Amino acid sequence: LNELQAKHKMEERSWIPEECLREFFDLTTTPFHELVFYRERGGCFEYLLSYRKYQYWDGFHVMGSMLRPGFPADPVGICERLANQELPRGSAVRVKSVRIVSGLLWPEHKWCHPYATVCLVEWEGTINESDTIKFFSLDDLPPNMLPNHHAYLEQCERVLRTGEPLRFTAEHPQGS
């Protein structure tokens, strides 16, 4: 990292410029928080997905991002900060609570080695839905969804339906 920082004349040690990220990601596992906002409608749980189009992905995904220096230390603070980054303008959301559903290493990722902490977010407020950010039920998920994110939603559905945390074993690495 020191070589990368020197190579790109970085003054602020907590920030990595875009041109360095690929090299950095090849050397590390990157922590991500995946925010599963949900609501209940007519006995069915719905999950908020956002549409993203950039060089690595064109489709829907569970909102979230890598954690960077300067983020809050607590799960609610992290989720509120990420929600403010990801939700459309005009949305006003307060995170009431966060349940940590699982943590998953994603070895097939296209540009880094993420370790995703899946957060089931209980919230209040307003989310402005559009064509690029909307709620879906598990039975009606869009086909162009980021790999692994379907598994996140299935895990959250299980937790919401049973009220129990997931149990991870060698036989059930995705939780049961």
Side-chain angles (χ1 to χ4, degrees), residues 63-137:
M63 290 189 315
S65 182
M66 71 182 78
L67 302 185
R68 296 178 185 262
F71 269 57
D74 65 291
V76 169
I78 291 168
C79 290
E80 283 200 335
R81 177 151 175 190
L82 290 174
N84 287 328
Q85 284 178 202
E86 298 250 346
L87 288 171
R89 292 194 193 289
S91 297
V93 169
R94 184 180 79 80
V95 173
K96 291 170 58 175
S97 70
V98 175
R99 284 190 253 183
I100 305 298
V101 172
S102 69
L104 300 169
L105 190 60
W106 187 355
E108 318 83 40
H109 197 276
K110 291 182 180 184
W111 53 270
C112 71
H113 306 284
Y115 184 84
T117 300
V118 180
C119 302
L120 187 57
V121 180
E122 183 181 1
W123 59 282
E124 63 185 9
T126 304
I127 294 176
N128 292 330
E129 291 185 72
S130 67
D131 289 341
T132 60
I133 188 161
K134 53 185 163 181
F135 285 90
F136 294 89
S137 69

Side-chain angles (χ1 to χ4, degrees), residues 18-176:
E18 191 71 33
E19 60 271 15
C20 293
L21 283 177
R22 290 299 300 257
E23 292 178 60
F24 180 74
F25 288 148
D26 286 343
L27 304 172
T28 64
T29 298
T30 308
F32 277 71
H33 262 47
E34 305 291 0
L35 311 184
V36 180
F37 283 82
Y38 71 97
R39 68 183 181 194
E40 190 173 0
R41 288 255 167 110
C44 179
F45 291 106
E46 295 178 333
Y47 305 96
L48 187 66
L49 297 178
S50 177
Y51 182 82
R52 181 179 286 170
K53 183 176 183 172
Y54 70 123
Q55 66 184 5
Y56 300 108
W57 182 248
D58 182 4
F60 281 92
H61 69 105
V62 170
M63 290 189 315
S65 182
M66 71 182 78
L67 302 185
R68 296 178 185 262
F71 269 57
D74 65 291
V76 169
I78 291 168
C79 290
E80 283 200 335
R81 177 151 175 190
L82 290 174
N84 287 328
Q85 284 178 202
E86 298 250 346
L87 288 171
R89 292 194 193 289
S91 297
V93 169
R94 184 180 79 80
V95 173
K96 291 170 58 175
S97 70
V98 175
R99 284 190 253 183
I100 305 298
V101 172
S102 69
L104 300 169
L105 190 60
W106 187 355
E108 318 83 40
H109 197 276
K110 291 182 180 184
W111 53 270
C112 71
H113 306 284
Y115 184 84
T117 300
V118 180
C119 302
L120 187 57
V121 180
E122 183 181 1
W123 59 282
E124 63 185 9
T126 304
I127 294 176
N128 292 330
E129 291 185 72
S130 67
D131 289 341
T132 60
I133 188 161
K134 53 185 163 181
F135 285 90
F136 294 89
S137 69
L138 256 184
D139 295 333
D140 192 32
L141 293 174
N144 60 334
M145 199 166 143
L146 200 55
N148 279 21
H149 287 216
H150 191 276
Y152 302 163
L153 298 179
E154 287 177 340
Q155 290 176 330
C156 289
E157 180 92 6
R158 223 173 311 150
V159 167
L160 287 168
R161 294 255 174 245
T162 66
E164 298 290 325
L166 295 176
R167 182 172 178 223
F168 298 89
T169 64
E171 295 80 26
H172 299 285
Q174 299 294 319
S176 63

